[in-house]
């Protein structure tokens, strides 16, 4: 007499129920129907109201306005732009300005942030207090306050161009912004750039080869002299052969303003200063927390293996700290990018300022313009979080968890 | 005995005193161990001291030593009149102080603002001190009653109806909208390719609309009767109070256990009646002060307190939705949270200012301040949702399972077991969000509302006070105010965190 296990009852109904309604079962399905009905109703209300309101205000819905002429000027453009270009080009110009201020801000914020974090971690009591005061003051004041402070108080107090502060006769700071020498390409530019690119590619390849040799055969290859040679030697050699790659055009004071050189507008200076010092305070706290999160025993274990302090830091402490630091750090970079939209308060021509500000008031196409602006920021942050989740996946894989 | 004496050594004379150990505590110890113990450290100390010297000394000189303390207009703060390089121009702040605190709020009505501030402090302080009792009552007073009272205090105006007429009006609007949608679908079905399907859905919706119409008919009849009679507000109030008290009694367990619920709802309605009578809401209330006259610190505080009060329920609802197993609700919550967290606040404010009015019915205008408040509530709600979700994730599964084993429903498990613990866990995070919300309120100045920063910026353009140091003085004053609020909140958050982690300390 055999006692065979009974077949489990068919689970199809259960599975469907689970799929449709989650743990709540048929109740969940009902809740979903009610929820969908409410959402549908709200959506219907929004669409019908928007349609009626637009009709009343005689605004044509749609993205056709993007092909119209903008008819206003933008005081900082990375690509060529005149008032007779289209609104689509205004969008691109604004987006590029946003990206430029974000990238520059991120570089400075990271630099200042790491310096402040090192100050706070320093065994020197006074220096760590200085770092702490910096972080507390900066973090507890609104960013817009700081932007306006730099723009309306500090930069406005600078002298006019005729009495501008000269930095070695090369750059001039005045209330019209920062004037720096502008590079002009010469005959040697193309070979120089080509050799620079070649050097970078070759050094990357070398590093890849060296790591392979280290991990697979256990051979240590010292590559840094070759990398230095590739990165600096090759371009220098082309400079000797073809002459200097570019020369600098020095700014000259003519009348009431500067001629020559390139001008960095004061709005950009104020925005970059405020964004980088503000974000630096947060980055400093993140870096400090990351380094403190590595257990003291790791350092001790490193030195008991006979590694030097620098090597222990480089090979043991920093990689573990980076795992803690990188996700919130990217978050701060994203915050900085989003915060760059405060440019609208001081008139720096970023995406929000020229597109959601000037273009919106000229065309009245509120729905399309704000949707496009929000969409582009959303795209940036979703892309970043996608990259971060890939990073998190790789970290958890490398931990073998 | 003598053996021992001969073989062992016994010291006869006293040892010379060893020098005392190097002091490692106190100021001298600090200097020895953490400031001047090595050449690099001495160098770093000098660098730090120089940094402090070059920031603190000029600041103190500007704020106190070189400052001008009295005067009538800009001439007092000019270097040639004062006779020295002028620092802060404090008479400018004295002249602009009412504008920085109240905006253009009429001078005769400013006591209302002051009274609101006092009420807020009186209700908030006991809420923040953990040892004081009756947190539930206190919280409901601060989070529910205070905003309503503050609205009628600050804005003024009275009420014409109460719960009954509001419910009837809302249901009527809803019914109209549903019937309109059904009619639109029916008319669309005549031309569209998917005609029969649209016709079916449309007639179903029209049927629902008609059903709702018949259901709410008695309510509307009652409302019309009440409004026809004199003293409509009080009649409406009495009916609403009776209905709500009965419902509370029934839900509380009827004759068996419902008495407590009945008593507390009666007490609540008596309190509401007292407030209505006291503020004269039935007779038109206080004179109306429209929000475009509000400004300064008042707007900053109104925006931040409203943001705090409204974002928390939104955040809790979204966090629960995101953890729900019901697919549609979870997907909606995730999309909603990620959308608002992915865009900058300033675009949200632009959305609220320019796009939101288009989404509302044409005859329905929303005040500029309220629009900004809606945007901020949605934005902060999404951030609070992530905070609350962190707290929910920190509660062990066993808590929910134990509640389920006791036979509690999902709602009871969540509201009685899981949420109270989760919220306690995340108080520090919530307070940190409130700090960033408080700082972010300064952004409303971009959409033409005059908060503290906006009023400050507006005051710079007054030619009566334009001196080289005006801007610096103004920023110093506003900065001190912002710093006091934010720093206070962050210290409080640290204090709560310390208390919550008491069991982990050793």
């Amino acid at each position: 007499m055999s006692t065979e296990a009974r077949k489990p009852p068919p689970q199809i109904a259960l599975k469907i129920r689970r799929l449709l309604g989650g743990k709540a079962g048929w109740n969940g399905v009902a809740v979903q129907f009610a929820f969908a009905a409410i959402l549908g109703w709200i959506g219907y209300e929004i669409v019908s109201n928007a349609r009626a309101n637009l009709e009343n205000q005689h605004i044509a819905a749609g993205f056709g306005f993007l092909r119209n002429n903008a008819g206003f000027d933008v005081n900082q453009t990375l690509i060529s732009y005149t008032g007779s270009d289209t609104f689509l080009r205004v969008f691109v110009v604004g987006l590029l300005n946003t990206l430029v201020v974000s990238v520059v801000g991120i570089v400075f914020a990271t630099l200042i942030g790491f310096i402040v974090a090192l100050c706070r971690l320093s065994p020197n009591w006074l220096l760590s207090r200085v770092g702490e005061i910096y972080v507390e003051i900066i973090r507890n004041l609104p960013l817009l306050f700081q932007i306006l402070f730099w723009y309306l108080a500090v930069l406005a107090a600078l002298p006019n161009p005729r009495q501008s502060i000269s930095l070695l006769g090369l750059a001039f700071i005045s209330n019209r912004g920062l004037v720096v020498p502008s590079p002009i390409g010469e005959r040697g530019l193309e070979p120089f750039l080509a050799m620079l690119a070649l050097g970078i590619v070759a050094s990357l390849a070398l590093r890849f080869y060296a790591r392979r040799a280290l991990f697979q055969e256990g051979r240590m290859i010292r590559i840094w002299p070759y990398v230095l040679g590739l990165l600096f030697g090759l371009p220098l050699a082309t400079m000797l052969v073809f002459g200097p790659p570019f020369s600098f055009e020095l700014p000259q004071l003519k009348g009431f303003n500067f001629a020559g050189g390139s001008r960095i507008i004061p709005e950009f200076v104020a925005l970059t200063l405020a964004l980088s010092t503000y974000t630096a305070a947060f980055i400093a706290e993140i870096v400090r927390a990351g380094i403190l999160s590595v257990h003291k025993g790791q350092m001790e274990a490193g030195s008991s293996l006979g590694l030097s302090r620098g090597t222990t830091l480089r090979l043991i402490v920093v990689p573990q700290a980076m795992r803690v630091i990188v996700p919130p750090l990217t978050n701060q970079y994203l915050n900085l990018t989003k915060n760059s939209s405060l440019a609208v308060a001081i008139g720096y021509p970023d995406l929000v300022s020229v597109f959601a500000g000037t273009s919106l008031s000229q065309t009245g196409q509120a729905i399309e313009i704000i949707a496009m602006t929000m969409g582009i920021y959303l795209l940036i942050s979703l892309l970043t979080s996608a990259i971060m989740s890939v990073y998190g996946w790789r970290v958890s894989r490398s931990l073998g968890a | 005995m003598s053996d021992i004496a001969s073989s062992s050594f016994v010291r006869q004379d006293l040892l010379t005193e060893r020098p005392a150990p190097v002091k490692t505590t106190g100021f001298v110890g600090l200097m020895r161990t953490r400031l001047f113990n090595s050449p690099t450290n001495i160098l770093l100390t000098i660098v730090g001291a120089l940094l402090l010297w070059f920031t603190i000394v000029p600041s103190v000189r500007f704020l106190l030593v070189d400052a001008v303390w009295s005067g009538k207009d800009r001439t007092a703060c000019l270097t040639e009149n004062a006779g020295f390089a002028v620092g802060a121009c404090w008479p400018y702040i004295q002249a602009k102080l009412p504008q920085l605190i109240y905006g253009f709020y009429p001078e005769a009505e400013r006591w209302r603002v002051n009274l609101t501030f006092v009420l807020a402090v009186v209700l908030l302080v006991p809420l923040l001190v953990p040892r004081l009792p009756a947190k539930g009552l206190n919280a409901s007073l601060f989070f529910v009653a205070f905003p309503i009272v503050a609205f009628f205090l600050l804005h003024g105006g009275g009420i014409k109806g109460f719960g009954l007429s509001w419910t009837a009006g809302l249901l009527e609007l809803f019914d109209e909208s549903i019937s309109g949608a059904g009619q639109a679908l029916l008319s669309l079905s005549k031309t569209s390719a998917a005609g029969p399907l649209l016709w079916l859905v449309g007639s179903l919706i029209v049927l629902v609309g008609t059903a709702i119409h018949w259901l709410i008919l008695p309510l509307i009849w009652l409302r019309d009767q009440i409004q026809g009679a004199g003293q409509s507000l009080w009649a409406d109030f009495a009916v609403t109070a009776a209905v709500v008290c009965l419902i509370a009694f029934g839900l509380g367990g009827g004759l068996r256990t419902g008495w407590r619920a009945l008593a507390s709802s009666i007490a609540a309605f008596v309190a509401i009646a007292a407030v209505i009578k006291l503020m004269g809401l039935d007779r038109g209330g206080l004179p109306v002060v429209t929000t475009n006259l509000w400004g300064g610190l008042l707007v900053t505080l109104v925006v931040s307190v409203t943001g705090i009060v409204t974002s928390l329920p939104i955040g809790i609802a979204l966090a629960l939705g995101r953890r729900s197993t019901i697919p549609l609700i979870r997907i909606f919550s995730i999309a909603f949270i990620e959308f608002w967290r992915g865009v900058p606040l300033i675009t949200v404010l632009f959305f609220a200012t320019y796009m939101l009015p288009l989404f509302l019915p044409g005859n329905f205008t929303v005040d500029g301040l309220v629009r900004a408040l809606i945007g901020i509530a949605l934005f902060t709600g999404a951030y609070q949702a992530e905070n609350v979700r962190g707290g929910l994730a920190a509660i062990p599964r066993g808590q929910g399972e134990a509640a389920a084993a006791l036979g509690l429903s999902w709602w009871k498990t969540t509201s009685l077991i899981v949420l109270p613990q989760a919220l306690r866990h995340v108080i520090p995070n919530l307070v940190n969000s409130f700090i960033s919300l408080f700082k972010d309120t300064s952004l409303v100045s971009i959409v033409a509302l005059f908060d503290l920063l906006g009023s400050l910026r507006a005051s710079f353009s007054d030619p009566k006070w334009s001196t080289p140091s005006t801007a610096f003085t103004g920023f110093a004053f506003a900065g001190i105010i912002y710093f006091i609020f934010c720093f206070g909140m962050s210290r409080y958050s640290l204090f709560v965190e310390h208390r919550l982690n008491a069991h982990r300390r050793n």
Side-chain angles (χ1 to χ4, degrees):
Chain A
M1 185 177 154
S2 65
T3 52
E4 276 183 20
R6 267 187 299 174
K7 273 190 177 172
Q11 302 270 330
I12 300 166
L14 272 176
K15 273 184 186 157
I16 290 176
R17 201 175 81 162
R18 182 75 193 230
L19 193 72
L20 291 177
K23 267 188 197 159
W26 297 122
N27 281 349
V29 178
V31 168
Q32 281 186 82
F33 264 108
F35 192 67
I38 292 173
L39 278 189
W41 176 62
I42 293 176
Y44 160 78
E45 275 291 301
I46 286 177
V47 170
S48 68
N49 285 334
R51 195 173 283 163
N53 285 326
L54 288 180
E55 229 161 70
N56 283 342
Q57 297 173 14
H58 306 292
I59 299 172
F63 290 93
F65 75 96
L66 284 175
R67 280 191 288 281
N68 297 350
N69 281 352
F72 59 87
D73 270 327
V74 175
N75 61 355
Q76 178 192 311
T77 53
L78 291 179
I79 53 175
S80 72
Y81 169 84
T82 57
S84 57
D85 276 317
T86 60
F87 281 110
L88 189 62
R89 200 159 177 91
V90 172
F91 178 76
V92 177
V93 165
L95 181 59
L96 285 177
N97 281 341
T98 293
L99 292 180
V100 156
V101 81
S102 309
V103 169
V104 176
I106 283 173
V107 171
F108 281 114
T110 314
L111 269 176
I112 304 173
F114 272 81
I115 291 172
V116 175
L118 289 183
C119 280
R120 285 210 66 179
L121 288 169
S122 126
N124 186 296
W125 181 82
L126 194 65
L127 213 55
S128 71
R129 283 297 92 80
V130 170
E132 197 180 333
I133 291 172
Y134 173 84
V135 169
E136 285 299 341
I137 288 184
I138 296 281
R139 277 205 314 182
N140 284 318
L141 291 176
L143 176 60
L144 186 62
F145 173 91
Q146 298 184 31
I147 292 176
L148 290 180
F149 172 74
W150 289 111
Y151 185 64
L152 294 178
V154 177
L155 291 189
L158 288 174
N160 59 20
R162 294 181 68 107
Q163 278 106 38
S164 59
I165 304 162
S166 159
L167 302 175
L168 304 172
L170 293 174
F172 298 91
I173 303 173
S174 68
N175 57 9
R176 299 282 190 81
L178 178 68
V179 187
V180 291
S182 58
I184 296 172
E186 299 264 331
R187 203 169 52 90
L189 183 63
E190 279 116 28
F192 177 80
L193 287 181
M195 279 301 144
L196 195 66
L198 186 72
I200 291 172
V201 171
S203 338
L204 284 179
L206 203 61
R207 179 170 178 269
F208 180 72
Y209 171 71
R211 284 183 79 87
R212 238 178 116 110
L214 178 65
F215 288 144
Q216 294 191 342
E217 300 158 36
R219 275 192 300 135
M220 277 277 272
I221 305 176
R222 179 182 294 245
I223 59 165
W224 64 265
Y226 306 106
V227 169
L228 275 187
L230 282 171
L231 283 183
F232 291 98
L234 276 182
L236 277 178
T238 61
M239 275 168 75
L240 291 179
V241 177
F242 294 97
F246 38 71
S247 61
F248 287 100
E249 187 195 31
L250 292 182
Q252 308 259 299
L253 189 64
K254 286 211 177 118
F256 289 103
N257 214 337
F258 286 96
S262 41
R263 193 168 73 96
I264 300 173
I265 55 175
E267 290 82 10
F268 181 85
V269 177
L271 194 63
T272 316
L273 262 173
L275 280 177
S276 49
T277 46
Y278 183 76
T279 315
F282 291 87
I283 289 179
E285 286 301 275
I286 289 168
V287 171
R288 175 169 159 261
I291 291 179
L292 287 181
S293 77
V294 180
H295 198 266
K296 199 169 67 175
Q298 299 283 332
M299 195 83 197
E300 293 167 357
S303 44
S304 74
L305 283 176
L307 298 176
S308 73
R309 193 181 147 81
T311 322
T312 319
L313 272 176
R314 194 163 55 85
L315 294 179
I316 294 175
V317 177
V318 170
Q320 296 187 64
M322 280 320 255
R323 243 179 22 222
V324 183
I325 291 173
V326 167
L329 192 65
T330 2
N331 216 353
Q332 284 305 323
Y333 290 164
L334 205 57
N335 274 350
L336 189 145
T337 310
K338 288 193 279 178
N339 284 336
S340 71
S341 59
L342 293 183
V344 66
I346 56 170
Y348 172 77
D350 82 320
L351 181 62
V352 173
S353 175
V354 295
F355 197 62
T358 320
S359 302
L360 173 60
S361 63
Q362 292 213 348
T363 60
Q365 306 273 1
I367 296 182
E368 296 85 353
I369 284 181
I370 292 175
M372 275 176 81
T373 315
M374 283 180 145
I376 203 84
Y377 280 107
L378 201 59
L379 190 71
I380 294 174
S381 59
L382 288 184
L383 272 181
T384 316
S385 60
I387 294 170
M388 275 332 288
S389 53
V390 171
Y391 173 82
W393 171 74
R394 285 214 31 191
V395 163
S396 65
R397 196 186 60 168
S398 76
L399 283 177
Chain B
M1 182 97 183
S2 62
D3 256 14
I4 297 167
S6 63
S7 64
S8 59
F9 165 77
V10 176
R11 182 179 290 281
Q12 298 297 318
D13 45 353
L14 283 172
L15 274 175
T16 51
E17 277 182 4
R18 276 190 290 179
V22 175
K23 211 175 160 194
T24 56
T25 57
F27 183 65
V28 178
L30 181 85
M31 298 239 294
R32 245 189 220 124
T33 52
R34 307 218 25 209
L35 290 175
F36 299 106
N37 55 342
S38 69
T40 19
N41 234 355
I42 292 174
L43 194 71
L44 290 178
T45 306
I46 293 171
V47 170
L50 283 179
L51 274 175
L52 280 182
W53 181 262
F54 281 112
T55 47
I56 288 184
V57 171
S59 313
V60 171
R61 278 186 73 94
F62 178 82
L63 291 177
L64 302 173
V65 180
D66 288 344
V68 173
W69 294 93
S70 61
K72 289 224 151 37
D73 55 3
R74 65 189 288 269
T75 51
C77 298
L78 291 178
T79 303
E80 48 270 32
N81 295 340
F84 55 88
V86 169
C89 180
W90 293 120
Y92 151 70
I93 294 294
Q94 282 160 22
K96 294 287 176 190
L97 195 60
Q99 195 190 333
L100 291 181
I101 292 181
Y102 307 103
F104 299 105
Y105 211 90
E107 211 168 334
E109 307 287 336
R110 280 184 193 152
W111 61 270
R112 284 154 59 175
V113 180
N114 295 338
L115 183 63
T116 316
F117 286 164
V118 170
L119 264 182
V121 171
V122 166
L123 287 176
L124 189 59
V125 168
L127 199 61
L128 296 184
V129 181
R131 263 187 309 176
L132 292 180
K135 282 281 179 286
L137 178 68
N138 199 339
S140 63
L141 277 179
F142 183 74
F143 286 107
V144 183
F146 171 67
I148 299 170
V149 172
F151 170 78
F152 284 111
L153 257 179
L154 292 175
H155 183 266
I159 45 175
K160 293 222 170 57
F162 202 69
L164 185 71
S165 66
W166 295 336
T167 322
L170 271 181
L171 284 176
E172 224 172 7
L173 269 182
F174 179 68
D175 183 36
E176 264 169 41
S177 161
I178 292 269
S179 306
Q183 296 294 347
L185 273 182
L186 280 186
S187 64
L188 197 68
S189 71
K190 284 177 193 131
T191 56
S192 165
L197 187 69
L198 284 182
W199 181 85
L200 191 71
V201 178
S203 34
L204 209 66
I205 292 178
V206 169
L207 202 69
V208 171
T210 323
I212 293 176
H213 177 72
W214 285 106
L215 272 177
I216 62 174
L217 208 58
L219 199 65
I220 289 171
W221 175 81
L222 192 60
R223 182 197 54 185
D224 292 342
Q225 289 299 309
I226 287 175
Q227 282 188 348
Q231 287 291 326
S232 64
L233 171 66
W234 288 110
D236 191 341
F237 181 82
V239 174
T240 313
V243 170
V244 172
C245 287
L246 273 182
I247 290 175
F249 185 58
L251 284 182
L255 287 171
R256 211 154 36 84
T257 52
W259 301 104
R260 203 183 145 83
L262 183 67
S264 55
S265 54
I266 288 177
F269 274 104
V270 168
I272 295 172
V275 169
I276 291 178
K277 199 76 200 158
L278 198 68
M279 294 177 65
L281 295 182
D282 51 338
R283 297 183 308 271
L286 296 161
V288 172
V289 180
T290 49
T291 53
N292 55 3
L293 295 176
W294 301 14
L297 191 61
L298 169 66
V299 165
T300 297
L301 290 177
V302 164
V303 173
S304 46
V305 170
T306 321
I308 289 169
V309 171
T310 48
S311 69
L312 204 54
I314 296 177
I316 291 174
L318 284 175
L320 290 176
R322 194 168 181 167
R323 281 172 63 88
S324 158
T325 57
I326 302 174
L328 188 63
I329 289 183
R330 192 178 61 238
I331 293 168
F332 173 80
S333 305
I334 292 176
F336 196 87
I337 293 173
E338 293 305 325
F339 176 76
W340 293 112
R341 278 164 46 97
V343 296
L345 177 57
I346 188 68
T347 59
V348 176
L349 289 174
F350 271 76
F351 160 83
T353 315
Y354 298 113
M355 224 159 133
L356 205 58
L358 291 176
F359 290 164
L360 295 170
N363 51 1
F364 203 82
T365 52
V366 187
D367 187 88
L369 183 64
V370 177
R371 274 183 260 167
L373 286 177
I374 293 173
I376 285 184
L378 293 176
F379 182 79
T380 320
Y383 280 86
Q384 297 294 33
E386 288 300 273
N387 285 336
V388 175
R389 191 166 73 105
L392 290 174
I395 304 301
R397 276 173 72 94
Q399 297 285 326
E401 287 168 354
L406 287 175
L408 297 185
S409 68
W410 182 86
W411 288 105
K412 282 194 171 159
T413 310
T414 306
S415 64
L416 297 176
I417 310 287
V418 178
L419 256 188
Q421 299 185 58
L423 287 182
R424 269 176 63 93
H425 268 291
V426 293
I427 289 176
N429 301 9
L430 294 178
V431 177
N432 286 343
S433 288
F434 294 154
I435 297 176
S436 36
L437 171 64
F438 186 81
K439 291 191 292 177
D440 283 344
T441 55
S442 57
L443 265 64
V444 298
S445 65
I446 295 175
V447 288
L449 293 170
F450 287 93
D451 72 324
L452 179 58
L453 202 56
S455 305
L456 183 75
R457 202 177 174 179
S459 75
F460 288 157
S461 56
D462 185 355
K464 196 181 162 198
W465 286 104
S466 90
T467 68
S469 65
T470 302
F472 283 101
T473 313
F475 278 116
F477 176 73
I480 289 169
I481 291 185
Y482 276 118
F483 186 82
I484 288 173
F485 275 97
C486 296
F487 190 71
M489 279 195 270
S490 76
R491 289 295 115 162
Y492 180 71
S493 136
L494 281 183
F495 159 73
V496 174
E497 203 174 338
H498 196 67
R499 242 181 91 86
L500 287 177
N501 288 338
H503 61 284
R504 287 203 202 125
R505 258 178 283 138
N506 41 19

